[in-house]
Amino acid sequence: MNKFEFLQAICGKPVLREIEGITVEIRSLTVLETQELSKAENEIEASLKLCILGLVNPKLESEDIELLRKAKPGFIIKLAKSISELSGLSDTDSPTVGNG
């Protein structure tokens, strides 16, 4: 394996997840994005940022965070948990951790 192949392998690819009947495409976070999350004021803000960063399709922007604040908390928590697991940031990592 050369350096290019190694770097491609550790960056992961987006995966599809169904959350409350809605299919979304998510990806794992990068090291820099994980560091950005650590600056969140509280757990809710971290979850919202995590959703903005890890959601591939539909793609949301940082200005969409206000709309996410009006969403059902259960959906946001499940979405954030899926992205966390895929990123290897939770106690129950996804079986595809590192692939997304």
Side-chain angles (χ1 to χ4, degrees), residues 4 9 11 14 20 22 26 30 40 42-43 45-46 49 57 63 68 73 77 79 87 90 94:
F4 179 74
C11 287
E20 294 188 4
I22 299 172
I26 60 173
T30 66
N42 56 56
E43 190 175 332
E45 290 303 310
K49 284 184 179 185
N57 190 15
E63 39 296 338
L68 286 182
I77 290 167
L79 177 59
S87 301
S90 71
S94 166

Side-chain angles (χ1 to χ4, degrees), residues 5-52:
E5 292 167 333
F6 169 75
L7 291 172
Q8 274 193 316
I10 65 170
C11 287
K13 297 175 182 70
V15 297
L16 294 176
R17 290 284 193 273
E18 185 173 323
I19 301 168
E20 294 188 4
I22 299 172
T23 301
V24 294
E25 189 175 16
I26 60 173
R27 64 171 179 82
S28 60
L29 299 184
T30 66
V31 172
L32 290 175
E33 289 169 335
T34 303
Q35 185 178 13
E36 184 180 324
L37 282 183
S38 69
K39 298 174 187 173
E41 296 174 20
N42 56 56
E43 190 175 332
I44 295 293
E45 290 303 310
S47 293
L48 294 172
K49 284 184 179 185
L50 194 133
C51 292
I52 294 285

Side-chain angles (χ1 to χ4, degrees), residues 52 59-65 68:
I52 294 285
K59 177 69 179 143
L60 300 178
E61 305 299 328
S62 4
E63 39 296 338
D64 295 320
I65 205 161
L68 286 182

